[in-house]
Amino acid sequence: MANRPLPLGSSIAIIGAGIIGASAAFVLAERGYRVTLIDRDEPGLTGPSWGNAGHVVGSGIFPLAEPGIGFTGLRMLADPDAPLKVPAEYLPAIMPWLWRFWRASYGDAYETALKALISFNRAAVEESIALFQRAGMPERIRHDPALYLYESEASYRAALPHWKKRQQVDLHSTHVDADEIARLEPDLAPIFTRGVISHEWAIVTDPYEVVLGYVEAARERGVSVERGRVDAVTGRSGGVSVTVGGEARAFDAALIAAGVWSRELAQGLGEQLPVEAERGYNLTYPAPKATVRRPLVLADRGVVVTALKPGLRLGGWTELGGTRMPPNPSRWAKMREITDTVLPGLEGEPATEWMGHRPSMPDSVPVVSRSGKHPAIFYAVGHGHYGLSWSAKTARVVGELIGDSADQRYAALSIRRFGR
Ligand SMILES: Cc1cc2nc3c(=O)[nH]c(=O)nc-3n(C[C@H](O)[C@H](O)[C@H](O)COP(=O)(O)OP(=O)(O)OC[C@H]3O[C@@H](n4cnc5c(N)ncnc54)[C@H](O)[C@@H]3O)c2cc1C
């Protein structure tokens, strides 16, 4: 089958109703496709789409794998307070991904990933606001510049090349001193010497509520939302076969959007999709006695802070620990220490604990792509730290790949970069 645009009215199965699958379902239904959205659980409930920090980041252009990351990473692993962890028992399993990660961190590979992210990231906030509007939930997002905070002159200086690069690609920032930080965020402990406001930013009311909003809007456009575990997606002549709970069902096309769990479905197709779980930890204070007035990024601690509808949420970190191991409670204890240091007014307050699996590619570039194995199978996977931020863009690109065969336009996001 050639890569022809899929005719309107064709049937599409979407596997995974996290933020990526849910927003794609809405956009594909808007385009005029018959969509079935399938998740093994209730939409948005089990993946990181449920409890993330709610930031829509319009300046997230840097791959995690950067020049020098090998050294920085090793240093962080030796520091119990650093935001990067690799549990010893998972080290053998993660080695191939770490190898790819390191290879992506320098030379042409790094420049290629940076270029792809600059392009993909462009106008992420505007596109998100516009899609929320179309989905009938404009009140669930608001433009809100973020404040990056640095605790030392050295860490601020180390970050300056990033701010300079952002400026070069038309992303705006304002640098502030300790007095201005105290004025902007009176509940913070006076430990921050420098700050930078990043203007291309928004926050949502509650990331889970956003998934539900897209699902609801998709339903209104005729999308069928089903519960079932997808065991396999395979190509067949004239379409695809999706096996749900042991039963093979025929569709004209399928979109795999199952977060980090997409890897197994890709393996079934004989396709390389090196997506790994970057586990992140959150605390949410439902009735906080101290708060923040804008989204914060605690740059030295790998933690972000957001005032959301469910409460004040602090979280982040990266634990490369796969999908099967239980959460490590010591991470939440560390988050509490950070909270007490940064927002002393929260000390002793109750908070709910949560851990989620970011689906992360070694080069930080998501795979939004037609399968290399079958022309009617597509992927929208691997958004790492920015799945909410890039969901509107991804939904549009998925629509263009399926409806317009725009493969060439989005070659930088193709799964083919990992070989066949
Ligand atoms: C601590 C933390 C903070 C974060 N903060 C932010 C932030 O502020 N801004 C931002 O943009 N991003 C943030 N992220 C990242 C963001 O949450 C993710 O990138 C995003 O949620 C990924 O969405 P997804 O739809 O690809 O995957 P998921 O949310 O994992 O959804 C995948 C869905 O597929 C389903 N599924 C899996 N396998 C199958 C199967 N075989 N059959 C049927 N269904 C299946 C799952 O049940 C799940 O519902 C954060 C992540 C963490 C962990």
Side-chain angles (χ1 to χ4, degrees), residues 3-58:
N3 292 349
R4 281 197 295 270
L6 192 70
L8 295 182
S10 303
S11 63
I12 304 175
I14 300 181
I15 298 96
I19 185 65
I20 298 298
S23 52
F26 171 68
V27 168
L28 289 172
E30 251 190 339
R31 270 191 168 243
Y33 291 109
R34 283 184 296 126
V35 178
T36 304
L37 179 61
I38 309 167
D39 200 292
R40 61 187 177 188
D41 211 316
E42 289 300 315
L45 207 58
T46 48
S49 300
W50 184 83
N52 65 57
H55 292 209
V56 176
V57 181

Side-chain angles (χ1 to χ4, degrees), residues 15-21 38-40 44 46-49 52-55 228-230 257-259 261 265 280-282 316 354 356-359 383-389:
I15 298 96
I19 185 65
I20 298 298
I38 309 167
D39 200 292
R40 61 187 177 188
T46 48
S49 300
N52 65 57
H55 292 209
R229 198 195 131 82
V230 172
W261 300 276
L265 296 172
Y281 289 76
N282 273 347
W354 176 83
H357 303 87
R358 300 182 191 94
H383 294 70
H385 290 233
Y386 298 126
L388 173 63
S389 310

